[in-house]
Amino acid sequence: MTPAAGLRQVAVLGATGSIGASALDVIARYPQRMRASVLAAGSNTGALLALCAAHRPDHAVIADPAGLAPLRDGLRAAGLATRAHAGDEALEALVAGPACDTVVAAIVGAAGLGSTLAAARAGKRLLLANKESLVLAGELVIAAARASGAEIVPIDSEHSAVFQCLRSCRAEGVRRLVLTASGGPFRGWDSARLATVTPAQAVAHPKWSMGPKISVDSATLMNKGLEVIEAHHLFGLAGDRIDVLVHPQSLVHALVEYVDGSTLAQLGLPDMRTALAVGLGWPERIDSGVAGLDLLAEGRLEFEAPDLAAFPCLRLAREALVAGGTAPAVLNAANEEAVSAFLQGRIGFLGIPALVEDTLAALPAAPAGSLEALLAADAEARRFARQHLPPMPSAGIRTA
Ligand code: NAD
Ligand code: MG
């Protein structure tokens, strides 16, 4: 059980999700080099137990306190030495402590902020997939990482691409970044058609297999808006130097244009294991299990401008970045509430940008120097958004 010297100890947060699965796939390829020492999930105790049996971590954390007893009992019944924990505080303590040196932050939504910040403050290597924590509190996360010496390696494919392309030069030489977007499942659709979109259609992404929230964000283009804000914090460029191009093949993930006219791009198949292998192996390159690119077989690389009239979320995110202060936190919170309401069938697809826009208009940007101010803005935006949703279908007895 004693880990060999130099073995990377990885905490995988959001282990039962899509990024979690990709991370564990790469980690399991290198038993001599790294291991999953902490696994954390939201509420699916059964799935977490199955991962513990496969990866034998030292600690397993379930966010939902009701999951603690079944987790502990399940670990014991399986004869595993893994220790069970529940709740955000336990997770943050494990992330900050000696149980790991590397943290894959892949919890979805603002729920990932506490553990992301804990990893940044504790000086861990932070493999950051949880983009919402940067949208909500980017300045604080980046400042904490700077102060502690934590090394952030972005996992979002576009940001991993920029991270890789930037290795050729100091940041001052950069003229602009270009993030690519697949365009999602509804590329080319107009508003009338978008009004008919169902949750099942929205989560069926044409190029990437991802969790439901980011899949809906990709369909509305909010994902690209969140990524512009994410790139602003990670790479220190103003929003007007971060462009977006729709690229339906999803093979070019981002481009970095330098002042001398040179543009570097990163290409690869749309499989998150590449970005995770970059983060886990950096500065070495390790095999991720992803095949190389066969450009002859792919044939074409196409690019087009995003349709901001049909997909207003990208504009809303850019406006929130310019407004600054609490605006990105409000944008993110309203979007999480709207996506959740859409997935529950309570609002239509076009209700998502409408609710985000109304919330931003109702709660104008205020200065946000502290975590408390940002969390208060997040809570207020969620309250406003929930109040402006249609009432839940009654669960009471029907008499008809
Ligand atoms: P997912 O829905 O597949 O998985 C989410 C994970 O978070 C699950 O393990 C779930 O148990 C856990 N979780 C949810 N709420 C939690 C809580 N309150 N406390 C602790 N754990 C909780 O999502 P995903 O697609 O893996 O995405 C995860 C993050 O990575 C998101 O921020 C997403 O934007 C980002 N990301 C994902 C992809 C991708 O390809 N899937 C690409 C880029 C970025
Ligand atoms: Mg992305």
Side-chain angles (χ1 to χ4, degrees):
M1 274 302 293
T2 331
L7 201 61
R8 192 177 278 287
Q9 306 284 334
V10 189
V12 181
L13 319 185
T16 56
S18 159
I19 292 284
S22 293
L24 289 168
D25 182 284
V26 177
I27 292 166
R29 290 166 192 271
Y30 295 94
Q32 306 304 324
R33 201 170 163 145
M34 57 184 88
R35 64 184 284 266
S37 57
V38 179
L39 296 181
S43 55
N44 189 341
T45 311
L48 183 57
L49 277 170
L51 292 177
C52 289
H55 299 279
R56 302 183 166 264
D58 302 325
H59 303 275
V61 194
I62 193 88
D64 179 2
L68 181 59
L71 180 61
R72 186 186 292 137
D73 296 347
L75 289 168
R76 196 176 299 140
L80 295 168
T82 306
R83 292 179 54 191
H85 311 259
D88 295 343
E89 257 177 57
L91 177 61
E92 287 166 32
L94 281 167
V95 162
C100 60
D101 49 59
T102 301
V103 176
V104 178
I107 291 174
V108 61
L113 177 61
S115 47
T116 298
L117 257 181
R121 286 179 177 143
K124 302 295 166 93
R125 176 178 287 199
L126 176 53
L127 273 51
L128 187 51
N130 173 235
K131 66 188 81 186
E132 294 90 348
S133 61
L134 280 183
V135 174
L136 171 48
E139 275 98 4
L140 299 182
V141 173
I142 299 296
R146 263 203 200 117
S148 70
E151 184 183 16
I152 300 182
V153 185
I155 295 303
D156 215 345
S157 53
E158 299 76 4
H159 306 73
S160 170
V162 172
F163 173 89
Q164 294 175 63
C165 292
L166 282 178
R167 300 304 111 175
S168 76
C169 175
R170 290 222 302 272
E172 300 86 81
V174 173
R175 186 181 285 151
R176 65 173 184 139
L177 308 180
V178 181
L179 310 180
T180 61
S182 69
F186 313 127
R187 186 172 59 89
W189 290 31
D190 62 15
S191 301
R193 225 175 141 199
L194 288 172
T196 68
V197 162
T198 64
Q201 288 174 305
V203 298
H205 196 276
K207 289 289 173 192
W208 299 92
S209 160
M210 310 182 286
K213 193 265 176 178
I214 183 175
S215 296
V216 175
D217 285 346
S218 299
T220 61
L221 285 200
M222 180 59 92
N223 184 49
K224 216 45 58 179
L226 300 179
E227 290 183 358
V228 168
I229 302 175
E230 181 185 12
H232 160 74
H233 291 298
L234 285 170
F235 307 116
L237 292 180
D240 61 5
R241 290 169 65 196
I242 305 169
D243 289 346
V244 169
L245 272 184
V246 172
H247 166 48
Q249 289 81 16
S250 293
L251 298 172
V252 178
H253 302 300
L255 307 97
V256 177
E257 183 184 312
Y258 290 95
V259 288
D260 53 14
S262 179
T263 295
L264 299 191
Q266 186 264 348
L267 288 79
L269 292 174
D271 185 323
M272 293 306 293
R273 290 178 300 171
T274 297
L276 284 153
V278 169
L280 288 165
W282 195 262
E284 284 170 43
R285 294 282 187 168
I286 59 174
D287 185 351
S288 64
V290 180
L293 201 56
D294 182 347
L295 281 174
L296 274 183
E298 299 290 348
R300 296 179 68 83
L301 300 177
E302 294 162 307
F303 300 91
E304 62 194 41
D307 179 352
L308 295 182
F311 299 94
C313 285
L314 179 53
R315 167 181 61 82
L316 293 172
R318 283 193 179 282
E319 288 170 2
L321 176 57
V322 170
T326 52
V330 168
L331 171 97
N332 180 65
N335 181 58
E336 285 191 29
E337 294 298 324
V339 169
S340 158
F342 168 72
L343 287 170
Q344 293 166 37
R346 293 182 65 187
I347 60 174
F349 189 72
L350 297 180
I352 299 173
L355 188 60
V356 173
E357 185 147 29
D358 289 351
T359 310
L360 282 164
L363 307 175
S370 69
L371 184 58
E372 291 68 32
L374 291 165
L375 293 176
D378 171 277
E380 204 184 345
R382 284 175 200 275
R383 244 188 331 269
F384 178 92
R386 282 184 196 151
Q387 277 164 3
H388 289 78
L389 286 173
M392 267 292 219
S394 161
I397 302 160
R398 288 222 218 131
T399 50

mmCIF file of all heavy atoms in Angstrom, residues 14-20 40-43 63 88 106-109 111 129-132 156-157 208-212 214 272, ligand 1:
data_model
loop_
_atom_site.group_PDB
_atom_site.id
_atom_site.type_symbol
_atom_site.label_atom_id
_atom_site.label_comp_id
_atom_site.label_asym_id
_atom_site.label_seq_id
_atom_site.Cartn_x
_atom_site.Cartn_y
_atom_site.Cartn_z
ATOM 1 N N GLY A 14 -15.292 14.916 -8.865
ATOM 2 C CA GLY A 14 -16.213 14.701 -9.987
ATOM 3 C C GLY A 14 -15.854 13.394 -10.676
ATOM 4 O O GLY A 14 -15.962 13.244 -11.891
ATOM 5 N N ALA A 15 -15.412 12.414 -9.839
ATOM 6 C CA ALA A 15 -14.878 11.155 -10.380
ATOM 7 C C ALA A 15 -15.920 10.377 -11.165
ATOM 8 O O ALA A 15 -15.576 9.646 -12.104
ATOM 9 C CB ALA A 15 -14.340 10.296 -9.232
ATOM 10 N N THR A 16 -17.202 10.518 -10.808
ATOM 11 C CA THR A 16 -18.244 9.734 -11.486
ATOM 12 C C THR A 16 -18.720 10.405 -12.775
ATOM 13 O O THR A 16 -19.609 9.884 -13.438
ATOM 14 C CB THR A 16 -19.452 9.521 -10.546
ATOM 15 O OG1 THR A 16 -19.912 10.820 -10.108
ATOM 16 C CG2 THR A 16 -19.085 8.692 -9.334
ATOM 17 N N GLY A 17 -18.166 11.549 -13.106
ATOM 18 C CA GLY A 17 -18.611 12.267 -14.304
ATOM 19 C C GLY A 17 -17.782 11.917 -15.529
ATOM 20 O O GLY A 17 -16.915 11.021 -15.501
ATOM 21 N N SER A 18 -18.044 12.656 -16.571
ATOM 22 C CA SER A 18 -17.392 12.404 -17.859
ATOM 23 C C SER A 18 -15.887 12.696 -17.792
ATOM 24 O O SER A 18 -15.054 11.874 -18.202
ATOM 25 C CB SER A 18 -18.111 13.272 -18.906
ATOM 26 O OG SER A 18 -17.326 13.483 -20.018
ATOM 27 N N ILE A 19 -15.507 13.862 -17.251
ATOM 28 C CA ILE A 19 -14.079 14.182 -17.115
ATOM 29 C C ILE A 19 -13.424 13.226 -16.124
ATOM 30 O O ILE A 19 -12.296 12.763 -16.336
ATOM 31 C CB ILE A 19 -13.895 15.643 -16.654
ATOM 32 C CG1 ILE A 19 -14.340 16.607 -17.753
ATOM 33 C CG2 ILE A 19 -12.449 15.916 -16.244
ATOM 34 C CD1 ILE A 19 -13.392 16.774 -18.894
ATOM 35 N N GLY A 20 -14.140 12.922 -15.038
ATOM 36 C CA GLY A 20 -13.606 11.986 -14.047
ATOM 37 C C GLY A 20 -13.235 10.657 -14.697
ATOM 38 O O GLY A 20 -12.150 10.110 -14.456
ATOM 39 N N ALA A 40 -13.906 11.776 -5.412
ATOM 40 C CA ALA A 40 -15.036 12.515 -4.853
ATOM 41 C C ALA A 40 -16.155 12.612 -5.875
ATOM 42 O O ALA A 40 -15.902 12.760 -7.075
ATOM 43 C CB ALA A 40 -14.593 13.918 -4.432
ATOM 44 N N ALA A 41 -17.396 12.536 -5.375
ATOM 45 C CA ALA A 41 -18.572 12.633 -6.251
ATOM 46 C C ALA A 41 -19.697 13.352 -5.519
ATOM 47 O O ALA A 41 -19.594 13.629 -4.315
ATOM 48 C CB ALA A 41 -19.016 11.243 -6.694
ATOM 49 N N GLY A 42 -20.767 13.644 -6.242
ATOM 50 C CA GLY A 42 -21.880 14.407 -5.682
ATOM 51 C C GLY A 42 -22.817 13.544 -4.845
ATOM 52 O O GLY A 42 -22.843 13.645 -3.616
ATOM 53 N N SER A 43 -23.581 12.667 -5.487
ATOM 54 C CA SER A 43 -24.580 11.910 -4.731
ATOM 55 C C SER A 43 -24.693 10.446 -5.140
ATOM 56 O O SER A 43 -25.389 9.681 -4.484
ATOM 57 C CB SER A 43 -25.949 12.580 -4.883
ATOM 58 O OG SER A 43 -26.250 12.710 -6.255
ATOM 59 N N ALA A 63 -20.522 14.185 -1.605
ATOM 60 C CA ALA A 63 -20.956 15.521 -1.161
ATOM 61 C C ALA A 63 -22.221 15.426 -0.315
ATOM 62 O O ALA A 63 -22.361 16.115 0.691
ATOM 63 C CB ALA A 63 -21.193 16.418 -2.378
ATOM 64 N N ASP A 88 -18.669 19.128 1.923
ATOM 65 C CA ASP A 88 -17.689 20.012 1.279
ATOM 66 C C ASP A 88 -16.469 20.261 2.156
ATOM 67 O O ASP A 88 -15.345 20.350 1.662
ATOM 68 C CB ASP A 88 -18.344 21.365 0.958
ATOM 69 C CG ASP A 88 -19.450 21.206 -0.067
ATOM 70 O OD1 ASP A 88 -19.483 20.157 -0.746
ATOM 71 O OD2 ASP A 88 -20.288 22.120 -0.187
ATOM 72 N N ALA A 106 -13.041 18.568 -11.426
ATOM 73 C CA ALA A 106 -14.030 18.261 -12.475
ATOM 74 C C ALA A 106 -15.423 18.089 -11.889
ATOM 75 O O ALA A 106 -16.229 17.298 -12.372
ATOM 76 C CB ALA A 106 -13.605 17.029 -13.261
ATOM 77 N N ILE A 107 -15.695 18.849 -10.818
ATOM 78 C CA ILE A 107 -17.078 18.956 -10.330
ATOM 79 C C ILE A 107 -17.776 19.930 -11.270
ATOM 80 O O ILE A 107 -17.153 20.872 -11.766
ATOM 81 C CB ILE A 107 -17.078 19.458 -8.868
ATOM 82 C CG1 ILE A 107 -16.513 18.362 -7.947
ATOM 83 C CG2 ILE A 107 -18.477 19.881 -8.424
ATOM 84 C CD1 ILE A 107 -16.318 18.787 -6.506
ATOM 85 N N VAL A 108 -19.056 19.733 -11.529
ATOM 86 C CA VAL A 108 -19.749 20.635 -12.434
ATOM 87 C C VAL A 108 -20.366 21.802 -11.647
ATOM 88 O O VAL A 108 -20.905 21.595 -10.566
ATOM 89 C CB VAL A 108 -20.810 19.887 -13.290
ATOM 90 C CG1 VAL A 108 -21.878 19.233 -12.426
ATOM 91 C CG2 VAL A 108 -21.444 20.826 -14.314
ATOM 92 N N GLY A 109 -20.218 23.013 -12.183
ATOM 93 C CA GLY A 109 -20.905 24.183 -11.644
ATOM 94 C C GLY A 109 -20.177 24.864 -10.500
ATOM 95 O O GLY A 109 -19.054 24.493 -10.125
ATOM 96 N N ALA A 111 -20.615 24.602 -7.544
ATOM 97 C CA ALA A 111 -20.346 23.661 -6.454
ATOM 98 C C ALA A 111 -18.872 23.278 -6.396
ATOM 99 O O ALA A 111 -18.387 22.823 -5.363
ATOM 100 C CB ALA A 111 -21.202 22.406 -6.620
ATOM 101 N N ALA A 129 -10.768 21.669 -14.789
ATOM 102 C CA ALA A 129 -11.851 21.506 -15.776
ATOM 103 C C ALA A 129 -13.061 22.336 -15.381
ATOM 104 O O ALA A 129 -13.820 22.771 -16.233
ATOM 105 C CB ALA A 129 -12.253 20.028 -15.874
ATOM 106 N N ASN A 130 -13.218 22.564 -14.083
ATOM 107 C CA ASN A 130 -14.400 23.251 -13.544
ATOM 108 C C ASN A 130 -14.371 24.749 -13.900
ATOM 109 O O ASN A 130 -13.970 25.592 -13.113
ATOM 110 C CB ASN A 130 -14.431 23.043 -12.010
ATOM 111 C CG ASN A 130 -15.520 23.846 -11.321
ATOM 112 O OD1 ASN A 130 -15.243 24.611 -10.408
ATOM 113 N ND2 ASN A 130 -16.749 23.694 -11.752
ATOM 114 N N LYS A 131 -14.794 25.062 -15.133
ATOM 115 C CA LYS A 131 -14.672 26.435 -15.625
ATOM 116 C C LYS A 131 -15.532 27.399 -14.834
ATOM 117 O O LYS A 131 -15.227 28.588 -14.723
ATOM 118 C CB LYS A 131 -15.030 26.492 -17.113
ATOM 119 C CG LYS A 131 -16.470 26.182 -17.441
ATOM 120 C CD LYS A 131 -16.681 26.062 -18.948
ATOM 121 C CE LYS A 131 -16.258 24.702 -19.468
ATOM 122 N NZ LYS A 131 -16.308 24.544 -20.906
ATOM 123 N N GLU A 132 -16.649 26.895 -14.251
ATOM 124 C CA GLU A 132 -17.547 27.798 -13.533
ATOM 125 C C GLU A 132 -16.846 28.471 -12.357
ATOM 126 O O GLU A 132 -17.188 29.600 -11.994
ATOM 127 C CB GLU A 132 -18.789 27.046 -13.036
ATOM 128 C CG GLU A 132 -19.696 26.526 -14.164
ATOM 129 C CD GLU A 132 -19.350 25.119 -14.639
ATOM 130 O OE1 GLU A 132 -18.260 24.611 -14.266
ATOM 131 O OE2 GLU A 132 -20.159 24.525 -15.370
ATOM 132 N N ASP A 156 -9.977 22.249 -19.945
ATOM 133 C CA ASP A 156 -10.898 22.583 -21.029
ATOM 134 C C ASP A 156 -10.073 22.521 -22.318
ATOM 135 O O ASP A 156 -8.948 23.056 -22.375
ATOM 136 C CB ASP A 156 -11.428 24.010 -20.787
ATOM 137 C CG ASP A 156 -12.867 24.154 -21.240
ATOM 138 O OD1 ASP A 156 -13.345 23.277 -21.983
ATOM 139 O OD2 ASP A 156 -13.508 25.141 -20.853
ATOM 140 N N SER A 157 -10.587 21.863 -23.358
ATOM 141 C CA SER A 157 -9.727 21.538 -24.509
ATOM 142 C C SER A 157 -9.145 22.789 -25.162
ATOM 143 O O SER A 157 -7.974 22.790 -25.563
ATOM 144 C CB SER A 157 -10.508 20.720 -25.530
ATOM 145 O OG SER A 157 -11.697 21.384 -25.870
ATOM 146 N N TRP A 208 -18.622 15.858 -28.884
ATOM 147 C CA TRP A 208 -18.039 15.534 -27.586
ATOM 148 C C TRP A 208 -19.072 14.782 -26.757
ATOM 149 O O TRP A 208 -20.254 15.099 -26.810
ATOM 150 C CB TRP A 208 -17.667 16.807 -26.819
ATOM 151 C CG TRP A 208 -16.650 17.695 -27.458
ATOM 152 C CD1 TRP A 208 -16.899 18.742 -28.288
ATOM 153 C CD2 TRP A 208 -15.229 17.654 -27.299
ATOM 154 N NE1 TRP A 208 -15.730 19.351 -28.657
ATOM 155 C CE2 TRP A 208 -14.680 18.705 -28.058
ATOM 156 C CE3 TRP A 208 -14.366 16.832 -26.564
ATOM 157 C CZ2 TRP A 208 -13.319 18.961 -28.120
ATOM 158 C CZ3 TRP A 208 -13.004 17.087 -26.624
ATOM 159 C CH2 TRP A 208 -12.493 18.133 -27.400
ATOM 160 N N SER A 209 -18.606 13.819 -25.946
ATOM 161 C CA SER A 209 -19.493 13.136 -25.018
ATOM 162 C C SER A 209 -19.236 13.726 -23.628
ATOM 163 O O SER A 209 -18.168 13.565 -23.060
ATOM 164 C CB SER A 209 -19.171 11.641 -25.054
ATOM 165 O OG SER A 209 -19.663 11.042 -23.900
ATOM 166 N N MET A 210 -20.238 14.464 -23.105
ATOM 167 C CA MET A 210 -20.006 15.257 -21.883
ATOM 168 C C MET A 210 -21.219 15.164 -20.967
ATOM 169 O O MET A 210 -22.273 14.669 -21.358
ATOM 170 C CB MET A 210 -19.797 16.735 -22.253
ATOM 171 C CG MET A 210 -18.785 16.965 -23.351
ATOM 172 S SD MET A 210 -18.520 18.710 -23.731
ATOM 173 C CE MET A 210 -20.016 19.121 -24.619
ATOM 174 N N GLY A 211 -21.086 15.694 -19.758
ATOM 175 C CA GLY A 211 -22.200 15.743 -18.824
ATOM 176 C C GLY A 211 -23.318 16.632 -19.356
ATOM 177 O O GLY A 211 -23.111 17.420 -20.277
ATOM 178 N N PRO A 212 -24.543 16.492 -18.770
ATOM 179 C CA PRO A 212 -25.699 17.209 -19.316
ATOM 180 C C PRO A 212 -25.585 18.731 -19.255
ATOM 181 O O PRO A 212 -25.982 19.419 -20.195
ATOM 182 C CB PRO A 212 -26.878 16.716 -18.447
ATOM 183 C CG PRO A 212 -26.268 16.025 -17.264
ATOM 184 C CD PRO A 212 -24.894 15.576 -17.674
ATOM 185 N N ILE A 214 -22.876 20.872 -19.302
ATOM 186 C CA ILE A 214 -21.993 21.465 -20.316
ATOM 187 C C ILE A 214 -22.517 21.161 -21.721
ATOM 188 O O ILE A 214 -22.325 21.957 -22.648
ATOM 189 C CB ILE A 214 -20.516 21.017 -20.144
ATOM 190 C CG1 ILE A 214 -19.628 21.709 -21.178
ATOM 191 C CG2 ILE A 214 -20.337 19.545 -20.167
ATOM 192 C CD1 ILE A 214 -18.150 21.447 -21.040
ATOM 193 N N MET A 272 -11.194 14.137 -24.363
ATOM 194 C CA MET A 272 -10.612 14.902 -23.255
ATOM 195 C C MET A 272 -9.399 14.228 -22.627
ATOM 196 O O MET A 272 -8.675 14.841 -21.850
ATOM 197 C CB MET A 272 -11.668 15.180 -22.185
ATOM 198 C CG MET A 272 -12.778 16.104 -22.637
ATOM 199 S SD MET A 272 -12.185 17.674 -23.319
ATOM 200 C CE MET A 272 -11.474 18.431 -21.859
HETATM 201 P P1 NAD B 1 -20.650 15.447 -15.353
HETATM 202 O O1 NAD B 1 -22.027 15.912 -15.120
HETATM 203 O O2 NAD B 1 -20.412 14.282 -16.248
HETATM 204 O O3 NAD B 1 -19.937 15.128 -13.949
HETATM 205 C C1 NAD B 1 -20.029 16.011 -12.874
HETATM 206 C C2 NAD B 1 -19.359 15.419 -11.651
HETATM 207 O O4 NAD B 1 -19.497 16.364 -10.568
HETATM 208 C C3 NAD B 1 -19.983 14.111 -11.158
HETATM 209 O O5 NAD B 1 -18.970 13.269 -10.688
HETATM 210 C C4 NAD B 1 -20.857 14.563 -9.982
HETATM 211 O O6 NAD B 1 -21.047 13.560 -9.013
HETATM 212 C C5 NAD B 1 -20.022 15.700 -9.428
HETATM 213 N N1 NAD B 1 -20.791 16.657 -8.638
HETATM 214 C C6 NAD B 1 -21.927 17.309 -9.010
HETATM 215 N N2 NAD B 1 -22.340 18.128 -8.022
HETATM 216 C C7 NAD B 1 -21.442 17.989 -7.011
HETATM 217 C C8 NAD B 1 -21.318 18.562 -5.726
HETATM 218 N N3 NAD B 1 -22.221 19.437 -5.251
HETATM 219 N N4 NAD B 1 -20.258 18.201 -4.957
HETATM 220 C C9 NAD B 1 -19.350 17.306 -5.411
HETATM 221 N N5 NAD B 1 -19.432 16.722 -6.617
HETATM 222 C C10 NAD B 1 -20.463 17.061 -7.408
HETATM 223 O O7 NAD B 1 -19.834 16.726 -15.889
HETATM 224 P P2 NAD B 1 -18.552 16.769 -16.823
HETATM 225 O O8 NAD B 1 -18.964 16.802 -18.249
HETATM 226 O O9 NAD B 1 -17.554 15.752 -16.393
HETATM 227 O O10 NAD B 1 -17.987 18.245 -16.512
HETATM 228 C C11 NAD B 1 -17.322 18.533 -15.300
HETATM 229 C C12 NAD B 1 -16.688 19.927 -15.387
HETATM 230 O O11 NAD B 1 -15.710 19.913 -16.426
HETATM 231 C C13 NAD B 1 -17.683 21.034 -15.756
HETATM 232 O O12 NAD B 1 -17.320 22.205 -15.110
HETATM 233 C C14 NAD B 1 -17.492 21.184 -17.263
HETATM 234 O O13 NAD B 1 -17.798 22.491 -17.708
HETATM 235 C C15 NAD B 1 -16.005 20.912 -17.381
HETATM 236 N N6 NAD B 1 -15.626 20.426 -18.709
HETATM 237 C C16 NAD B 1 -16.104 19.238 -19.161
HETATM 238 C C17 NAD B 1 -15.758 18.763 -20.431
HETATM 239 C C18 NAD B 1 -16.232 17.430 -20.937
HETATM 240 O O14 NAD B 1 -15.817 17.013 -22.011
HETATM 241 N N7 NAD B 1 -17.070 16.700 -20.242
HETATM 242 C C19 NAD B 1 -14.923 19.548 -21.245
HETATM 243 C C20 NAD B 1 -14.451 20.761 -20.738
HETATM 244 C C21 NAD B 1 -14.797 21.191 -19.476
#
